[in-house]
Structure formats: structure tokens, C-alpha cells
């Protein structure tokens, strides 16, 4: 009389396992352990190692950014403690001093006072870099800034005709 096969999947698997010889069971168990280890290595270990390497690189970059931020913070604190230059009482005097120190006096075509706080300067031909440097120096050293600037390119490379209104 033939035995009937088990009805459920679990019963079928238990029956299949019991039918195997002892050597086959050991081989299948070793193969199952090997496959499990390979899955753990591929699914867990390798991603973890990649993440650790990536995080180490990110941490090094973050340390460099932190050091730069601390240096910037120290510089800001130093600048905040330093006394600021008093604003120039007369923008014309600050302009004259800046023009003389940068040897740009000859480039000025016209200087006219608009009111007590504003001066309009006209340059017929000045290098754009020299104009930018002059405006930067006026802003930084004398707290005189440009409120209106019209620069028209000249035929010569790098030269402009400029009308600048300065205020304190």
C-alpha cells in the first residue's frame, strides 16, 4: 500500500527532508549556511563598508569646513572689536584723497557738488578696473559709496566713460 503525500507545504517539506540521506542533509545544510552568509555579506556588510568609507570622507570635509567657519568667526569677531573708521564729513575731501592716492586725478573731467552729502564725478576715460578699485577704496576707507553709476564702454579695450554720484 502506497503512502499518500502530505497535504500542506510544510508537511511536504518535512517529508522531503526525511527522505534525504544523512550526507545529503549535511550538504544541504552547509549549502544553506553558505547561501545565508553570502546574502548577509552582500546585503548588509558591503553596504555598511561603503557607507563607512563615504562617512569618513564626509567627516573629513566637514572638519575642514568647520575649521574655516571658526577662522571666519574669529575674523568677524576681531573686525567687530576694531574701531570703525569715522565717516568722512565731506565726500569731496574723501574723493580728492582717494584720487590722489591712486593717481587718478588726471582722469577726472568734472567734479560737482550736488548737495551737502552728494558729489558727482565725471571721468572721460578711465580703466574699468581702476574705477572699480577707486569705488571699493572709497567704500572701505571713507564710507563713501556710489549711489548712481553710468559707465559707457569706449573703443579702447577696458576703458569706460563714467558718471558717478557719490554719497556718504
Amino acid at each position: 500500500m502506497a503512502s499518500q503525500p502530505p497535504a500542506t507545504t510544510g508537511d511536504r517539506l518535512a517529508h522531503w527532508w526525511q527522505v534525504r540521506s544523512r550526507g545529503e542533509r549535511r550538504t544541504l545544510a552547509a549549502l544553506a549556511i553558505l547561501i545565508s552568509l553570502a546574502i548577509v555579506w552582500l546585503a548588509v556588510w558591503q553596504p555598511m563598508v561603503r557607507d563607512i568609507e563615504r562617512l569618513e570622507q564626509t567627516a573629513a570635509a566637514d572638519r575642514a569646513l568647520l575649521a574655516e567657519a571658526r577662522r571666519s568667526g574669529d575674523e568677524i569677531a576681531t573686525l567687530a572689536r576694531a574701531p570703525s573708521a569715522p565717516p568722512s564729513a565731506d565726500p569731496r575731501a574723501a574723493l580728492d584723497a582717494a584720487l590722489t592716492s591712486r593717481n587718478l586725478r588726471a582722469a577726472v573731467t568734472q567734479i560737482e557738488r550736488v548737495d551737502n552729502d552728494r558729489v558727482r564725478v565725471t571721468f572721460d576715460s578711465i580703466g574699468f578696473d581702476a574705477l572699480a578699485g577707486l569705488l571699493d577704496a572709497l567704500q572701505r576707507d571713507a564710507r563713501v559709496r556710489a549711489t548712481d553709476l553710468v559707465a559707457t564702454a569706449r573703443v579702447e579695450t577696458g576703458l569706460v566713460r563714467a558718471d558717478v554720484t557719490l554719497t556718504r
Side-chain angles (χ1 to χ4, degrees):
M1 183 165 166
S3 67
Q4 292 201 356
T8 65
T9 305
D11 290 340
R12 278 188 238 147
L13 185 60
H15 176 69
W16 179 82
W17 184 255
Q18 289 174 356
V19 173
R20 303 290 152 224
S21 68
R22 187 177 182 108
E24 285 178 324
R25 287 181 193 169
R26 285 184 185 157
T27 304
L28 288 172
L31 186 59
I33 290 172
L34 185 62
I35 290 172
S36 298
L37 289 175
I39 289 172
V40 167
W41 186 75
L42 288 172
V44 176
W45 186 258
Q46 284 298 327
M48 188 170 56
V49 168
R50 281 193 303 267
D51 287 346
I52 288 171
E53 290 172 357
R54 183 183 49 82
L55 289 173
E56 286 173 349
Q57 292 171 352
T58 303
D62 288 347
R63 281 191 289 275
L65 285 173
L66 178 62
E68 180 62 30
R70 285 182 176 159
R71 280 192 295 275
S72 295
D74 292 343
E75 184 178 342
I76 289 169
T78 301
L79 290 173
R81 286 190 297 271
S84 62
S88 174
D90 183 22
R92 171 74 188 250
L95 174 64
D96 288 337
L99 288 171
T100 303
S101 70
R102 295 184 168 275
N103 295 325
L104 294 174
R105 169 71 62 198
V108 175
T109 306
Q110 181 181 4
I111 298 177
E112 64 179 295
R113 183 177 293 279
V114 176
D115 57 30
N116 284 340
D117 291 334
R118 294 186 300 164
V119 175
R120 183 173 298 122
V121 185
T122 302
F123 298 95
D124 187 43
S125 180
I126 185 171
F128 187 77
D129 294 340
L131 179 62
L134 173 68
L135 295 176
D136 181 50
L138 285 169
Q139 171 70 33
R140 182 184 60 243
D141 300 336
R143 304 277 194 252
V144 174
R145 60 186 168 82
T147 56
D148 187 32
L149 170 68
V150 177
T152 307
R154 298 194 44 96
V155 175
E156 300 87 7
T157 303
L159 295 180
V160 294
R161 181 189 186 288
D163 293 312
V164 183
T165 303
L166 301 168
T167 189
R168 58 181 153 147

